[in-house]
Structures are given as structure tokens and as C-alpha cells.
Amino acid sequence: MSSLGRHHDPIVAIATAPGRGAVGIVRASGKQLQPLVDALIGAPLKPRQAHYGPFRDATGQPIDHGLALFFPAPNSYTGEAVLELQAHGGPVVLQLLLARCLEAGAGIGLRLAEPGEFTERAFLNDKLDLAQAEAVADLIDASTEAAARSASRSLGGAFSAEVEQLAERIVNLRMLVEATLDFPEEEIDFLEKADARGKLAAIRAAVDAVTARARQGALLREGLRVVLAGQPNVGKSSLLNALAGAELAIVTPIAGTTRDRVSETIQIEGVPLHITDTAGLRDDAEAGDEVERIGMARSWESIHSADAIVFLHDLTRLADADYQAADARIAQRLATADPARLLQVFNKADTGVSAGSDGRLLISARTGAGLEALRQALLKRAGWQAAPEGVFIARSRHVQALKQTAEHLAGAAAHASQADQALDLFAEELRLAHLALQSITGRFSADDLLGEIFSRFCIGK
């Protein structure tokens, strides 16, 4: 992100979403914003108090009337001086205000903010750590109530506090190890008398517990990609409609009706499920035309990238040899997928066909029978557990960092088993575990990582 080299420039942006609204906000941040206050307000502003009046153009004429709020550094969102102009939410009005700010701030180098740059400055000025900064975007993007509440907890520092507690425990253990390395003449049996193994085991258990909760948080944020796969006319489109509670996909008895992927996001217990209905799978030679063949190719693309695959079968055709053979060919191709992702589901249970007693997951997309069992099975495939109130939002990178921490702690445990002869390697693994944890909160992060994270924010936040 180019702003990393320009974070001392004053910046300005429209902070509200595009379109018409009752109120629109133009926000500026920088070390010195007095020229903006003088040019647009023409009167002193008391810190953190709303001032109502005209916002003036270069000739002194009002662009609009609204509220101006000034937050002096460091007591602001970004840690710099912040000026907010709350005007009527028309796009033209806001663009005029933005242009006037850039005109009035030309002498101090005021420029348009880049995506996420206000929050980036909050991070750079130690108002937020990186996990909290990411939670800002996650709260804005939350697609379920559970995700929003979890993002709010992360923004409040719940996740960061747990990470910092783990880091502190690792640092304390490092201090004991390195002190022993510095004073070998003491001839202390460090591993026994300092209970290093016990301390390390407790830290590893704590990391595992936080990792489990972070995985739940990542599910809340990112959801589960579910693909409905199977032969034509097994009821995939009907199942999508039943799960979504809306007629999203066209349903007919004609094979090959679904030509392309149809997707919908639903939620189960607060977890977003991104469900994709795919074209029916059959041999290319049986496809009606080139469009259907392209649709089937896209179906396989979706299957390969899915977190969970619902392989849907038609109970009414299980006795049909040709149907069984086609199902077997699909199953053989699906066998290359991770078996943990595959869920065998049998549709049309409402027809009265005997389904046997082999523990099959039976549903009826027409009547809704068995759908709740299917929902729970999908959550189980995702590794979801009923969310306790304390779950915090997390990202894949957080889970990966915790995994790396656990791996380094496992390495430390292996060296600990060799007693004092491997204390230097023990200390090194603890150092690497500490660095992995610090990458979550941004204590140790590369600039390219920061650029990747903040470039995904909306402009004005």
C-alpha cells in the first residue's frame, strides 16, 4: 500500500457509503488541520463539541449547513487531529465539500485518503493493534449477527488480550531459559527446578484453546463454501430453494435445466453458508449441448474449491442400473476430494420409497423433511461448535499464525526432552513462537502484509 511511505500527509475522504442518505460525512486527519477549519468554518471549534453552521466555498458562500466536530491529537480515532463535517447526504453536496477541503488544504499537502488509511493511521499511532484494526473491517462486512458481535469483541481487544497473555507467558519462559544459558556455572538443573516442561505444557494447552476459538471466529467471518453436486434431476435446485427459503433456481423435470452455477448465502446458527447449486453431472457424450458441457466443467471447478460437498442422490432411482452406474462414476471422480468434505444425502424421502436402515441422511427438498439434520451435518463438517458468548472474530492468517506458534512450541518440547544439552535450541523455538504470535497483533509485521490488509478496507475508514 503506497500510503505506508506517506503516512505523515494530511488526508481527507467521504466517510459514508456512496448514494443518497440523510447524513453524509467528510473526514480529514493530519497533524495540522487549522487551515481547513479557517476556510470552511471560519470560527474556532471546541474539541469534541458539535458546531452547527455553514460550510463555506472559496467565495464565502455556503455549500451546505451542518455539524463540524474537531478531535485534537492524540484523542481521536487516528491519533492525529481529526475534522468531521456532517452534511446532508447527497452525493453532489459531499463531492463539493470534498473538493473544497482539497482546495483549502493544498498548502498543507492534503490529499485523498487511500482505502483503509484512517484505520491504518490508528494502527501506526498505537490506537489499535492489527487484530483490532482488522476487526473494524470485519464488523463492517459482517453478514450475520453472530459475526457482528464477535467482530465487536475483537475490536474491543478480547482477541488481542488473549494473544498478549500467551506472548507474555512465552517471554517469561524465554527469560528463564536464557538466564540459565547466561549463567551455566550455576549448574542448575533448569528443566526440573524451574518446571520448564510444566510451564511449556500449560502454554501449549492455552495456545490450542485459543486456536480452537479462532477457528470458530474464522468460520463466522468467512463462512463455509458448500456445493450441491449430483446427476441431473436429483433435486439440487429444489434443495437450494428450500435452504434459502426463496425460488432462486429454476426447477423443471427437464435434464440440464441448470446450466450454470447459482449461489446464495444463508446462515445457520450465525455461520454464513455460501451454497452453490451446480449443473447436473453426467458424461459429456450425454450433455445436451456445449452450454451444458461448459456448465458441468464449472461444476467441477466449484467442487474442487468447496469446503463441503453435498453429493445428492435420488431415492426413487436407486434401483435403476444406469443411474447407479452414473452415480458410481461421479463417486469415483469425487474420491479424489478430501473425504471429510463429502456428505452423502438422499433426496425425495417423501415419495415413500424404502430407504433402508444404513444410517443414510434422508431429506425431502419438497416438504422440508430432514433439512435441519442436513444443516447440523454441514456445521459438523465445518468443525463448528455451538458458539459461546466469548467467541471473537478471526481470520485465516490468525489461525495460521497460531498454528505456527504451536509448531514452534512442539519443537521446544522436543528440545526440552534432551535436558540442558539443547537449551539454546529450546530458547530459539520459544523466540520463533513469540514472533509468530506477535504477527497477529502487528508487533512484528512486514509492510507488504499491512498493505494487503488495509487495501481491502473501504475508502474513508
Side-chain angles (χ1 to χ4, degrees):
M1 185 174 178
S2 60
S3 67
L4 286 172
R6 300 192 290 157
H7 63 262
H8 295 298
D9 297 346
I11 55 174
V12 65
I14 298 172
T16 41
R20 298 171 60 191
V23 176
I25 297 174
V26 174
R27 175 184 293 155
S29 178
K31 295 186 181 302
Q32 173 56 263
L33 299 181
Q34 193 58 45
L36 287 186
V37 175
D38 294 341
L40 276 91
I41 311 301
L45 297 178
K46 294 182 179 180
R48 293 174 295 282
Q49 290 189 22
H51 171 91
Y52 177 78
F55 304 137
R56 302 187 183 280
D57 64 16
T59 67
Q61 297 301 308
I63 298 172
D64 191 12
H65 288 71
L67 297 178
L69 294 100
F70 180 69
F71 304 88
N75 300 315
S76 71
Y77 178 71
T78 63
E80 302 172 333
V82 170
L83 175 66
E84 284 195 359
L85 305 176
Q86 299 185 7
H88 292 93
V92 174
V93 172
L94 295 178
Q95 288 295 335
L96 286 172
L97 275 179
L98 179 63
R100 176 60 178 141
C101 287
L102 290 169
E103 177 187 43
I108 58 173
L110 184 71
R111 61 173 174 80
L112 284 172
E114 297 179 6
E117 194 168 1
F118 288 92
T119 304
E120 179 191 48
R121 295 202 176 187
F123 166 70
L124 293 173
N125 294 323
D126 294 323
K127 305 296 287 187
L128 300 170
D129 64 34
L130 192 54
Q132 290 175 295
E134 289 169 306
V136 172
D138 295 337
L139 183 58
I140 293 170
D141 295 336
S143 59
T144 68
E145 180 182 348
R149 291 183 181 277
S150 298
S152 181
R153 280 189 285 272
S154 287
L155 179 56
F159 184 27
S160 301
E162 297 213 22
V163 169
E164 290 302 323
Q165 288 172 9
L166 287 173
E168 184 177 351
R169 293 170 70 178
I170 292 174
V171 167
N172 289 338
L173 186 54
R174 280 182 66 191
M175 290 168 58
L176 288 172
V177 177
E178 291 171 6
T180 303
L181 288 171
D182 290 339
F183 302 101
E185 66 277 2
E186 297 285 337
E187 297 183 357
I188 298 174
D189 185 355
F190 163 74
L191 294 175
E192 297 298 331
K193 294 192 175 183
D195 189 27
R197 292 191 185 93
K199 287 183 172 65
L200 179 58
I203 293 172
R204 293 180 69 188
V207 169
D208 289 343
V210 173
T211 301
R213 294 174 64 198
R215 286 197 178 101
Q216 303 292 291
L219 266 178
L220 281 178
R221 178 185 181 270
E222 297 165 6
L224 184 72
R225 292 169 298 169
V226 179
V227 167
L228 308 180
Q231 294 188 57
N233 287 347
V234 296
K236 298 184 300 299
S237 297
S238 297
L239 178 56
L240 173 65
N241 291 342
L243 289 170
E247 295 296 320
L248 301 173
I250 299 173
V251 177
T252 76
I254 302 170
T257 296
T258 301
R259 299 298 189 96
D260 203 353
R261 295 166 290 196
V262 179
S263 297
E264 177 68 5
T265 297
I266 66 172
Q267 61 168 300
I268 303 174
E269 294 185 13
V271 179
L273 263 67
H274 312 294
I275 302 179
T276 300
D277 174 27
T278 59
L281 302 174
R282 52 181 172 173
D283 293 338
D284 285 349
E286 298 176 346
D289 52 35
E290 182 62 23
V291 174
E292 187 180 352
R293 280 189 283 272
I294 294 172
M296 288 192 294
R298 291 182 176 179
S299 296
W300 285 110
E301 289 175 5
S302 297
I303 287 168
H304 292 315
S305 62
D307 297 312
I309 305 162
V310 173
F311 186 8
L312 200 60
H313 307 274
D314 184 346
L315 280 171
T316 66
R317 289 191 275 169
L318 292 184
D320 185 324
D322 290 339
Y323 175 83
Q324 288 280 32
D327 247 15
R329 288 192 293 272
I330 296 171
Q332 184 178 16
R333 189 165 177 182
L334 285 175
T336 58
D338 181 359
R341 296 192 296 144
L342 193 59
L343 187 62
Q344 305 276 356
V345 179
F346 294 80
N347 188 28
K348 305 184 183 179
D350 57 297
T351 58
V353 175
S354 176
S357 58
D358 57 357
R360 292 172 173 174
L361 181 51
L362 306 178
I363 68 165
S364 169
R366 188 176 69 85
T367 68
L371 290 189
E372 182 56 30
L374 173 58
R375 293 186 183 101
Q376 294 304 315
L378 287 170
L379 289 180
K380 185 177 179 180
R381 281 287 188 282
W384 176 253
Q385 300 168 357
E389 188 62 25
V391 165
F392 39 72
I393 207 75
R395 298 186 173 204
S396 295
R397 80 167 192 91
H398 302 152
V399 176
Q400 185 61 32
L402 287 165
K403 181 181 176 183
Q404 291 173 354
T405 301
E407 290 172 351
H408 288 303
L409 293 176
H415 294 307
S417 66
Q418 301 176 38
D420 294 349
Q421 299 155 352
L423 282 185
D424 54 342
L425 298 176
F426 188 177
E428 176 62 11
E429 290 291 354
L430 291 177
R431 185 186 72 83
L432 294 172
H434 187 216
L435 287 179
L437 270 181
Q438 286 183 313
S439 70
I440 294 175
T441 56
R443 305 293 184 203
F444 173 75
S445 296
D447 284 354
D448 56 352
L449 171 63
L450 300 182
E452 171 66 19
I453 288 171
F454 288 110
S455 66
R456 297 177 181 270
F457 279 52
C458 54
I459 292 177
K461 193 59 183 175

